[in-house]
Amino acid sequence: MGARDIGDLDGYYLHAVEAKAEKTITLADYIAQANREAIHAGQPFGCAVVKRRMKGTADGYVVRDVRTDVRLITRLKIMEEALQDADYDRWYDIDEELREAA
């Protein structure tokens, strides 16, 4: 979409995604582009989905800079604390389910 690009993929919750499958990986460029596109898309986070050579997409990487990751983890922590305060039993059930799935 040119100068106002909003990312390559839609539906990755809260993120503008820059998808890459290139021979030479340049993470700094990918992250800078993803962060610009997050602003254009009105999303709080940008990330790059980088496909590994000779592997399927699921074996690739999701990459963000440390500043973005800290903001994401902080948001997660705040939201979990809010859910604990609002409905501890619901939070507990979700937490248990997700721990088992890991």
Side-chain angles (χ1 to χ4, degrees):
M1 296 178 88
R4 299 297 290 171
D5 194 353
I6 60 171
D8 295 328
L9 301 173
D10 190 26
Y12 198 85
Y13 187 65
L14 298 175
H15 286 76
V17 175
E18 185 59 30
K20 296 295 184 180
E22 300 176 331
K23 183 176 181 179
T24 303
I25 295 173
T26 55
L27 292 180
D29 294 339
Y30 301 165
I31 299 309
Q33 188 174 359
N35 288 339
R36 276 192 311 273
E37 292 173 3
I39 292 167
H40 298 162
Q43 295 290 359
F45 309 108
C47 68
V49 173
V50 182
K51 185 181 178 301
R52 290 173 59 189
R53 289 178 50 97
M54 313 279 291
K55 298 283 185 174
T57 305
D59 292 320
Y61 306 102
V62 175
V63 186
R64 62 181 60 85
D65 58 28
V66 173
R67 177 177 289 114
T68 301
D69 196 63
V70 168
R71 289 188 305 108
L72 178 62
I73 296 302
T74 300
R75 181 183 175 122
L76 176 62
K77 181 178 182 285
I78 291 167
M79 293 299 191
E80 281 207 22
E81 289 170 352
L83 180 56
Q84 284 176 332
D85 291 344
D87 188 346
Y88 180 83
D89 292 335
R90 177 76 174 124
W91 172 84
Y92 183 86
D93 290 343
I94 292 169
D95 184 66
E96 190 172 71
E97 179 182 324
L98 293 175
R99 286 175 187 264
E100 289 173 4

